[in-house]
Amino acid sequence: SFNIFTGIKLENISVANRAGYAKEPFISADAFTLHYAFWPLFQRQIIIQEISLEKPVVLIEKRAGEFNFSDLTQKKAATSPATKPAANSNFGFSLIVDSFTLHDGEIIYRDQTTNTHSEIKEINASLRGLTLALFKPLDFSLSAIANYQGKDIPLSLAGSIALNLSDETINLPALTLGIAGEKATIAATITQLRSGPAIDCSLSSSQLNIDPLVAIFAAGAPAQKAKKTDLNQTINQVTA
């Protein structure tokens, strides 16, 4: 559906999977919505107020050492010399995007060689304030449930990002990270965006229980092969 004054909406989107892989779509979504401001178009400004995705699903498969998207990333031989754009090809439009939202997304990963299956489901994401990102921090939030070896692991990340393109820096003053019910705060500064980047990061938590996190990575091991290992050794293996 299309309304010239407000925007466009696409429903029941589907991109077929690569031949030889599952019959399920490679990418699908219930709806894609784009809202824009109409009158600024006459001033050569494309102001997109919101882009939203409803229930997008991405299927990633690995079979015989290749992914179902490998053919998309392979370089193709040029059939004709590239044509240079004309000097007057600039239409002079400026593009501004204010917010992006994603609701109830899912990423599915299947490895046919090892017969393993993992997924990240119930993905909800919000990124707001892009229009004013140069003047004030932009807010974002992300939540999802990762299914690893049959266990559901709640994940969340929320906070703000301050951009300073003239100084080539990105500041993340206080990100709240949640994994399996454990909470931590991340503060980071990214500098030298063009030549680096250089990242200065700190992680802190007022009360952190390591047992649930270690249990996640220890899950799924056959009982007869399970061995009692030192906690430090387990953490080293996990972080490696």
Side-chain angles (χ1 to χ4, degrees), residues 54-171:
E54 289 288 331
K55 294 186 177 181
V57 179
V58 178
L59 173 62
I60 299 175
E61 288 186 284
K62 186 178 182 181
R63 179 177 298 180
E66 274 204 354
F67 291 96
N68 56 340
F69 58 81
S70 296
D71 57 333
L72 300 176
T73 59
Q74 292 172 353
K75 293 184 179 180
K76 297 181 180 179
T79 54
S80 59
T83 53
K84 294 182 179 180
N88 59 351
S89 62
N90 186 2
F91 292 102
F93 276 87
S94 61
L95 174 64
I96 298 173
V97 181
D98 187 51
S99 68
F100 170 80
T101 57
L102 185 151
H103 180 255
D104 202 12
E106 185 176 6
I107 300 174
I108 302 171
Y109 174 72
R110 296 175 186 160
D111 192 332
Q112 302 293 348
T113 55
T114 59
N115 197 26
T116 55
H117 174 101
S118 301
E119 62 179 325
I120 302 175
K121 56 187 178 181
E122 298 182 27
I123 304 172
N124 294 284
S126 174
L127 188 62
R128 301 186 182 277
L130 291 168
T131 304
L132 301 175
L134 297 178
F135 307 100
K136 70 172 189 176
L138 65 97
D139 300 320
F140 79 96
S141 63
L142 172 68
S143 65
I145 296 178
N147 186 279
Y148 177 76
Q149 295 185 346
K151 284 193 173 184
D152 284 344
I153 308 163
L155 307 172
S156 64
L157 184 66
S160 59
I161 304 175
L163 304 175
N164 192 328
L165 298 182
S166 60
D167 291 343
E168 298 184 26
T169 61
I170 300 176
N171 290 318

